[in-house]
Amino acid sequence: MEEKNWLAGEFEANRAHLATVAYRMLGSRTEADDAVQEAWLRLGRCDADAIDNMGGWLTTVVARICLDMLRSRKTRREEPFDLPVHERLADTSKAVDPEQEVAFADSVGVALLIVLQTLAPAERVAFVLHDMFDLPFDDIAPIINRSSAATRQLASRARRRVQGTTDVPETDAAHKRTIVNAFLAASRLGDLNALLAVLDPQVVFTPDATAMRYNPSVRELRGASAVAETFKGRAQAAQPALIDGEFGLVVSVAGDLRVVLLLTFDGDKIAAIDAVADRDYLDHLQYELLEP
């Protein structure tokens, strides 16, 4: 009983922070409350003695829950946000505290929420956690299953869009798919120049620990030339796919998913490639194969 009371106290001490994190990611008070409640349930199921930093642990858990919710929205193509604040306040059929609703809206800004809605789930999580809550990229990367380099790139791209200072054209879904198909074709054909044409000069390739165990020669690479040389003549078994609602490549052997390549775009170039082979991640992955 004492431990449960202690956990409840620790959770309550962090509740306001967690609610703010969840709201800034989701833009919905209802969903933010659901995410915070789910974090409490997960806390009750874990070994609390193994948690060194309760605030950090809870923030990470809420971020992962929010990421799953954002990805689920993308998969179902749902409109994610609550009604605008002024409309919610005018709707007397809903039991809301007007002062609390306004305080939440003011803490983020309705305009910012609208811009955040346009970001991909991983972009949004990277931007919110780093730019709004000052979490290091090394801490954010495991939450979104990306390398630190890719996480930094996602946050940077999101920041440019939020600030309205994007100096490269935004890449729509159809164009991203064209880039993925061009990368895949160039890799299979061993066309070095075609690979260089779709890779950012500063592109970073990062395999996870499992991918490196599968192939000891695989390692982190930086720069278009090094990455292009590595992928030249490969990707024969790779297939384009929507991975958690984002474009990438999947590799299966006899129907068994072995590795996914998560692609990070900057304008019309691929800025980062993360090879993820972690079994737990793959077993819970949602993806949809695309026609090449």
Side-chain angles (χ1 to χ4, degrees):
M1 180 62 70
E2 289 184 5
E3 180 181 359
K4 187 172 183 180
N5 289 338
W6 177 79
L7 283 178
E10 288 291 306
F11 186 81
E12 287 303 319
N14 286 278
R15 180 186 288 275
H17 167 74
L18 299 176
T20 303
V21 170
Y23 183 68
R24 292 188 181 186
M25 288 191 188
L26 299 170
S28 163
R29 271 297 307 279
T30 301
E31 290 191 347
D33 288 344
D34 289 344
V36 172
Q37 181 61 24
E38 176 61 23
W40 164 245
L41 295 176
R42 294 189 187 185
L43 178 61
R45 296 194 295 264
C46 78
D47 179 8
D49 292 336
I51 301 175
D52 295 327
N53 181 343
M54 182 62 70
W57 186 89
L58 287 170
T59 299
T60 297
V61 169
V62 166
R64 285 175 172 156
I65 293 169
C66 291
L67 179 61
D68 289 341
M69 294 171 76
L70 290 170
R71 286 169 169 167
S72 179
R73 287 176 181 170
K74 292 291 184 180
T75 301
R76 297 195 302 268
R77 292 177 172 82
E78 293 183 352
E79 289 297 327
F81 290 104
D82 292 336
L83 291 171
V85 174
H86 65 279
E87 292 184 28
R88 294 205 306 276
L89 297 181
D91 186 354
T92 57
S93 67
K94 297 182 179 180
V96 298
D97 180 342
E99 291 185 3
Q100 190 175 36
E101 289 290 292
V102 171
F104 259 81
D106 287 345
S107 71
V108 182
V110 175
L112 176 57
L113 287 178
I114 293 173
V115 176
L116 290 178
Q117 182 180 3
T118 68
L119 303 179
E123 284 181 331
R124 183 163 183 166
V125 171
F127 173 76
V128 168
L129 290 180
H130 181 265
D131 285 46
M132 295 185 176
F133 294 98
D134 203 29
L135 264 67
F137 290 120
D138 288 345
D139 292 348
I140 302 170
I143 297 174
I144 60 176
N145 284 99
R146 301 288 182 112
S147 63
S148 293
T151 302
R152 182 185 298 275
Q153 183 65 40
L154 287 169
S156 176
R157 173 178 165 82
R159 189 179 308 116
R160 291 199 304 270
R161 296 180 67 179
V162 168
Q163 295 173 345
T165 57
T166 306
D167 54 3
V168 293
E170 292 301 327
T171 309
D172 60 20
H175 191 39
K176 281 184 179 179
R177 185 166 177 176
T178 299
I179 295 170
V180 172
N181 289 339
F183 172 79
L184 186 58
S187 177
R188 289 173 174 172
L189 294 173
D191 189 333
L192 187 62
N193 289 331
L195 281 169
L196 291 172
V198 296
L199 295 174
D200 185 273
Q202 305 302 318
V203 63
V204 179
F205 169 71
T206 308
D208 69 359
T210 305
M212 288 190 286
R213 283 200 300 272
Y214 282 163
N215 187 347
S217 66
V218 172
R219 66 188 191 284
E220 181 179 293
L221 299 170
R222 293 179 177 272
S225 295
V227 174
E229 285 288 350
T230 294
F231 278 92
K232 184 176 67 174
R234 296 191 176 184
Q236 302 301 322
Q239 295 176 277
L242 280 176
I243 303 169
D244 281 332
E246 300 177 47
F247 288 94
L249 300 169
V250 301
V251 178
S252 298
V253 177
D256 180 34
L257 183 62
R258 294 293 181 87
V259 64
V260 298
L261 299 179
L262 304 174
L263 306 179
T264 302
F265 299 87
D266 190 5
D268 58 357
K269 303 285 186 179
I270 296 173
I273 304 172
D274 289 279
V276 183
D278 178 75
R279 194 69 257 170
D280 184 63
Y281 173 74
L282 297 183
D283 287 344
H284 295 89
L285 186 67
Q286 296 182 5
Y287 68 95
E288 175 188 350
L289 293 178
L290 302 172
E291 290 295 329

